[in-house]
Amino acid sequence: MEEKPLILVTNDDSYRAPGIRALIEAVKPFGEVVVVAPDKPQSGMGHAITVGNILRLSKIDAFEGIEAYACTGTPVDCVKLAITDVLKRRPALLVSGINHGANHSINVLYSGTMSAAVEGAMEGIPSIGFSLCAFEWEASMEEAITYARKIVAAALRGEFPPKLCLNVNFPKSSHVPYAGIKICRQAEAYWADSYEKRQDPMGGHYYWLTGMFEGRDKGTDTDVWAIENNYVSVVPVQFDMTAHHAIAHLNTWQYD
């Protein structure tokens, strides 16, 4: 009897988040599911790993009929521990999310959700990060589940491109059905950061990060445009960050 595909599920919002339950629901029909997720929210951790503290991994009974573990570390820690200590065979797919909040454009660099997917890709595992453009934990994910299934089915059926992962963002659910799936490039945008300086009850100062997302890219082939026009955006993301186009130019510099 042929083994079912093994699917590793993780996230950065912790195993308690509604988004990971939605993702488990989306991928259950496709194979054997194992969950390794943080025990607390890890948003904005990027590709951080734990090197100065111990890591703990606890088996949990959080999802009916699903083998699951809570990890005290980051999303990338979760992936590393899953591969080295939890899984008995190589996963056919790694999925991360569904994140509460958008991970389009430059946000991919800060995202723990996407860094878990990137780590999977670095290990040669087909990997996909999923995010919903809504922060509310009570936000509806029914349509996101439907489209996650379409994308997972296609990924398992097709030949997954090597040395990359997929960054999938779902528009915030509304009464209007999604327009479909659009393969995109990452929009050029950045965060105009600012910090609110506040005072604690003891008279000391602390800072609270705020800021505005500024997207100046007007292209109709970007993830930001797709989401604003009610499409599910899919961006192929590579972990090779070499600016290959700049190598020839740098070779023209004088280094003596």
Side-chain angles (χ1 to χ4, degrees):
M1 184 177 177
E2 187 177 352
E3 282 186 309
K4 292 182 177 180
L6 178 60
I7 301 173
L8 174 62
V9 178
T10 190
N11 75 344
D12 74 353
D13 288 322
S14 88
Y15 73 87
R16 298 179 177 88
I20 198 169
R21 291 186 177 275
L23 189 52
I24 292 168
E25 186 65 26
V27 302
K28 274 196 308 186
F30 298 101
E32 178 189 349
V33 174
V34 176
V35 177
V36 182
D39 65 349
K40 56 188 173 298
Q42 296 280 346
S43 295
M45 290 301 291
H47 214 95
I49 56 173
T50 300
V51 294
N53 293 302
I54 62 170
L55 285 171
R56 296 190 187 276
L57 192 67
S58 305
K59 194 166 187 178
I60 55 174
D61 185 18
F63 314 103
E64 186 177 355
I66 301 293
E67 183 180 354
Y69 301 83
C71 173
T72 58
T74 68
V76 173
D77 289 329
C78 291
V79 174
K80 288 180 176 292
L81 278 172
I83 293 170
T84 59
D85 274 53
V86 174
L87 301 179
K88 304 301 187 293
R89 55 192 172 103
R90 188 171 183 78
L93 185 69
L94 181 154
V95 291
S96 181
I98 297 172
N99 188 67
H100 294 261
N103 276 319
H104 56 20
S105 186
I106 198 67
N107 294 308
V108 71
L109 292 177
Y110 303 108
S111 167
T113 299
M114 280 306 301
S115 288
V118 170
E119 182 67 23
M122 290 166 60
E123 292 285 345
I125 301 166
S127 301
I128 310 173
F130 294 95
S131 302
L132 179 71
C133 298
F135 287 102
E136 303 85 2
W137 277 35
E138 66 275 11
S140 172
M141 293 198 177
E142 288 306 310
E143 199 166 11
I145 290 172
T146 298
Y147 274 80
R149 282 183 179 151
K150 293 181 180 181
I151 293 167
V152 167
L156 290 172
R157 186 170 54 241
E159 183 178 344
F160 203 97
K163 298 184 179 179
L164 59 79
C165 60
L166 302 182
N167 181 17
V168 177
N169 279 269
F170 303 110
K172 184 174 182 177
S173 295
S174 66
H175 63 282
V176 180
Y178 290 161
I181 295 171
K182 190 173 181 64
I183 310 301
C184 309
R185 64 175 174 86
Q186 177 182 311
E188 293 183 21
Y190 73 102
W191 282 92
D193 294 327
S194 62
Y195 287 86
E196 290 184 13
K197 187 176 182 180
R198 301 178 182 179
Q199 191 173 60
D200 65 32
M202 303 301 293
H205 289 106
Y206 67 95
Y207 297 85
W208 195 267
L209 176 63
T210 61
M212 294 291 293
F213 180 75
E214 296 194 1
R216 299 178 178 177
D217 193 330
K218 303 304 181 183
T220 59
D221 59 343
T222 71
D223 50 4
V224 171
W225 184 94
I227 293 161
E228 288 176 348
N229 287 273
N230 207 37
Y231 285 92
V232 176
S233 68
V234 179
V235 176
V237 174
Q238 63 183 16
F239 53 83
D240 177 3
M241 298 179 72
T242 307
H244 293 276
H245 65 280
I247 291 175
H249 173 71
L250 292 177
N251 276 323
T252 67
W253 288 10
Q254 297 298 316
Y255 293 99
D256 49 34

